[in-house]
Amino acid sequence: MLHPCLYTIRCTKAVSALLTLSDWQAAYRAGALPADLLGGLRQRLAAREQDPAVITLVSGTQLQARLGALTEAARGFPDRTALVQAMPLWGVPFAIKDNIDVDGVPTTAACPAWARPAARNADVVRRLEAAGAVWVAKTNLDQFATGLVGTRSPYGRPASVSAADRISGGSSSGSAVMVGRGDVPFALGTDTAGSGRVPAGFNRLVGLKPTPGRVSTRGVLPACRSLDCVSVFAQTVDDAAAVLALVEGVDADDAYSRFEPGPAAFTPPKLRIGVPQAPFFFGDAGYEQAWPRALERLTALGHELVAIDFAPLDAVAALLYDGPWVAERHAVVQDLLARNPEAFDPTVRRVVEKALGQSATDAFRGQYRLRELAAQAQQVWARCDLLMVPTAAGHPTFAEVDADPIGVNSQLGRYTNFVNLLDWCALAVPAGTAAHGLPFGVTFIAPPRADAALARFGRRWQDAAGPEPGRWPRSEAALPVAVVGAHLSGLPLNGQLLERGATLLETTTTAPRYRLHALPGTTPPKPGLVRVEKDDPGGHAIALEVWSMPLRAVGSFLALIPAPLGLGSIELADGRHVHGFLCEGHALAQAPDVSHHGGWRAYLASLR
């Protein structure tokens, strides 16, 4: 018997189905209007109240001004094809990490006490707007870009798009999540210690970190000014490389700008790729089992694996937070820290205050030690053309980070912290699926200025892999589906969503008009959600997750839903309605009311 709600599902091509640059360009060539696509996108983003990925959403007035500029720019071209060729990002939306300046918009760095309107665009934003791009959101981050976890912000803690109980990674958390959800085809992050790579790995994305100096950091609030890079998140290597080509170049007003072209490709085709001889992993994400599959993929592509002793690289990595470079972070926030230390996230404050024990002598000793280690590290390139490492050694839960915020962060930087100190470039790419349906990623690392060659290699890796599990096919329509019980991230039936390519959109609650009951005799244990009358005082807001499911998979998913459950319309806390699981009333007679727990996960925890 078909579920009655099947008759109400309509196939619509959502803005979120435009996942790549080529998708957006094709839409405009076909006659789509920026006002329609971008207006619809802004409306959808605005409907997500208290979205932890977003700090500032583009206003209606700001968007209208940008749309007017796009209209003016289009007047000089005979047709859309010529326009898109000249301005390849015309009408393409993107997100910006909120330590990068946008003219007239506050830059917060996830610290409200720091917030101040920017006087002008950062150079990287200026270049993107010149190519026609349209910013739609400034995104959340670990405060002052200090962290790899994505949890150190008063604006919320974004989760991985694949699991609501796992961190998004940081510090460029919001940018990665917005691309991972399909909101925008690319987003800007920054990367000092891995902030443009770890979130890519945790959200099944490409994360491109250029050679330091290749992209101007003028207009970027520094973390460590001598090391910072602007990074790019995208669904494909081609898109990340295309954005890099538009934003790279010399900036005479940036003292750290030092763009120099490098090789276009690695030669010969069969490469020597260095890998850790004793790889390190932690946690229950299954990365240790996923890593050998990535090695097998490399050898299948015809490359030679070379086992490398990573001890010199580990020693370089330790300098970033245990050495004097933490004083660079202090130099940025020194006045605020002295005047208002309570404005800081407690963990960020602990990290930055380590600089107070550093001296000028320590700074020079650190430089001497780095020179010694860099000479040792340079010898790697005599044996290898590239390095491949796990993007992260594990994918922790929020609870694990809360229990040991600095220790877990340090483990996440094991394969990232050394790269900028050595002036190298890196490209994080998806590499399959690990335990619990979690994404697994690897990072390829190359010598300075090898960015173009690295991107070309990454394209071959991605092409050979085919579509990643859990990633929407291009331009595929999708249906938002709310889940409240055994389909929640990490619970027994979540795999039914993941195997159908569903992607986590958000964690929120219902409107306060529902009750949750524990259904007896169900395996695995399941709840029943029912709506109460508007004037019923027994209504509660129940925690849920909203997943985006490809429309082609909805039928097979509904076939798995056992009675007395079915798919109906659920009202969310912000007034939106989405499809989700509801229970028939007759089944609740012997089902305990567990609504006071606020959600199924909390109820299960109470039983332990």
Side-chain angles (χ1 to χ4, degrees):
M1 176 179 174
L2 288 175
H3 292 273
C5 61
L6 274 177
Y7 296 105
T8 69
I9 296 175
R10 292 172 292 178
C11 179
T12 59
K13 187 80 79 172
V15 174
S16 61
L18 301 176
L19 298 179
T20 66
L21 297 184
S22 60
D23 290 340
W24 282 86
Q25 292 163 346
Y28 287 133
R29 287 193 190 97
L33 298 175
D36 293 336
L37 294 186
L38 298 177
L41 173 59
R42 184 190 178 280
Q43 185 178 30
R44 184 165 59 88
L45 294 175
R48 291 196 191 117
E49 294 183 1
Q50 298 180 331
D51 183 352
V54 175
I55 292 179
T56 303
L57 183 66
V58 66
S59 70
T61 301
Q62 290 164 332
L63 181 58
Q64 286 302 316
R66 188 69 184 131
L67 290 171
L70 293 179
T71 300
E72 284 300 312
R75 295 188 192 281
F77 296 93
D79 53 42
R80 287 286 182 85
T81 298
L83 171 61
V84 172
Q85 286 176 343
M87 299 179 69
L89 300 183
W90 187 82
V92 175
F94 71 107
I96 305 170
K97 186 177 180 178
D98 199 20
N99 60 344
I100 301 175
D101 286 348
V102 174
D103 186 15
V105 179
T107 297
T108 72
C111 179
W114 180 272
R116 60 201 66 181
R120 62 187 63 83
N121 283 334
D123 186 69
V124 65
V125 176
R126 178 189 64 82
R127 291 174 186 251
L128 288 171
E129 289 198 340
V134 180
W135 79 273
V136 294
K138 298 202 73 183
T139 59
N140 205 354
L141 65 152
D142 283 313
Q143 192 177 73
F144 294 113
T146 301
L148 293 172
V149 288
T151 64
R152 303 171 179 174
S153 169
Y155 296 98
R157 312 200 305 176
S160 163
V161 299
S162 295
D165 62 335
R166 304 272 172 168
I167 63 171
S168 62
S171 61
S172 308
S173 52
S175 287
V177 167
M178 287 197 72
V179 178
R181 292 188 311 208
D183 296 330
V184 291
F186 76 94
L188 299 181
T190 60
D191 189 308
T192 305
S195 296
R197 289 163 277 162
V198 171
F202 289 170
N203 293 281
R204 214 183 294 274
L205 298 174
V206 171
L208 186 154
K209 187 216 76 70
T211 300
R214 190 177 185 100
V215 176
S216 171
T217 55
R218 179 165 55 91
V220 177
L221 182 69
C224 296
R225 190 181 177 197
S226 66
L227 303 176
D228 294 339
C229 300
V230 175
S231 67
V232 181
F233 295 104
Q235 302 277 358
T236 69
V237 175
D238 279 347
D239 281 2
V243 173
L244 177 64
L246 292 167
V247 299
E248 67 185 8
V250 174
D251 178 4
D253 294 321
D254 177 7
Y256 283 88
S257 174
R258 45 194 171 92
F259 170 71
E260 298 177 42
F266 295 111
T267 54
K270 180 179 179 179
L271 301 181
R272 302 164 302 161
I273 298 181
V275 297
Q277 66 180 16
F280 164 76
F281 299 98
F282 73 93
D284 68 345
Y287 282 12
E288 188 170 4
Q289 291 72 42
W291 173 245
R293 296 193 289 272
L295 299 179
E296 291 171 3
R297 186 187 297 184
L298 267 187
T299 56
L301 290 171
H303 302 300
E304 176 188 356
L305 302 182
V306 180
I308 297 294
D309 178 7
F310 266 57
L313 303 182
D314 292 339
V316 172
L319 290 174
L320 192 60
Y321 285 103
D322 296 334
W325 275 267
V326 73
E328 283 203 271
R329 298 179 185 273
H330 181 255
V332 177
V333 300
Q334 182 176 9
D335 291 343
L336 180 62
L337 184 62
R339 185 176 71 254
N340 185 9
E342 298 305 315
F344 287 74
D345 172 89
T347 304
V348 172
R349 180 178 170 185
R350 285 175 60 190
V351 171
V352 174
E353 284 184 337
K354 291 173 66 176
L356 299 178
Q358 300 283 352
S359 68
T361 302
D362 294 323
F364 278 100
R365 285 175 177 158
Q367 290 286 352
Y368 302 155
R369 179 60 174 154
L370 178 58
R371 285 294 183 95
E372 294 168 0
L373 292 170
Q376 296 176 41
Q378 183 63 27
Q379 297 173 18
V380 165
W381 303 124
R383 300 180 57 198
C384 306
D385 303 297
L386 283 174
L387 297 179
M388 185 179 83
V389 297
T391 297
H395 190 170
T397 64
F398 285 102
E400 289 167 335
V401 172
D402 292 342
D404 184 12
I406 290 181
V408 170
N409 193 93
S410 178
Q411 291 176 314
L412 291 177
R414 183 69 172 267
Y415 295 115
T416 60
N417 284 358
F418 59 85
V419 178
N420 284 5
L421 283 162
L422 295 172
D423 221 29
W424 295 350
C425 55
L427 181 69
V429 291
T433 300
H436 317 298
L438 296 172
F440 177 67
V442 298
T443 295
F444 294 101
I445 302 169
R449 300 179 301 282
D451 306 79
L454 187 60
R456 182 166 295 190
F457 177 87
R459 178 193 302 159
R460 290 198 295 271
W461 168 273
Q462 196 168 39
D463 287 347
E468 286 287 330
R471 176 62 55 217
W472 290 316
R474 292 184 182 185
S475 302
E476 182 170 7
L479 180 77
V481 175
V483 298
V484 298
H487 288 90
L488 292 168
S489 297
L491 295 189
L493 299 184
N494 184 247
Q496 293 179 355
L497 294 170
L498 295 172
E499 67 189 11
R500 285 164 176 78
T503 303
L504 179 65
L505 289 177
E506 61 182 306
T507 300
T508 183
T509 69
T510 67
R513 301 190 184 96
Y514 291 85
R515 289 200 307 267
L516 193 70
H517 294 256
L519 298 176
T522 54
T523 304
K526 301 181 185 71
L529 183 72
V530 291
R531 186 181 177 97
V532 300
E533 296 299 326
K534 191 170 184 179
D535 56 354
D536 188 331
H540 293 260
I542 303 298
L544 57 75
E545 294 173 1
V546 181
W547 288 73
S548 182
M549 178 173 290
L551 208 60
R552 58 177 169 75
V554 170
S556 67
F557 182 61
L558 291 177
L560 300 174
I561 302 175
L565 301 177
L567 204 65
S569 179
I570 293 178
E571 183 181 1
L572 302 184
D574 60 10
R576 286 177 293 150
H577 287 78
V578 298
H579 289 87
F581 290 110
L582 291 172
C583 185
E584 297 176 19
H586 69 82
L588 304 179
Q590 304 300 319
D593 188 334
V594 297
S595 306
H596 62 282
H597 291 284
W600 188 242
R601 200 187 300 275
Y603 166 69
L604 294 178
S606 74
L607 301 178
R608 298 179 190 138

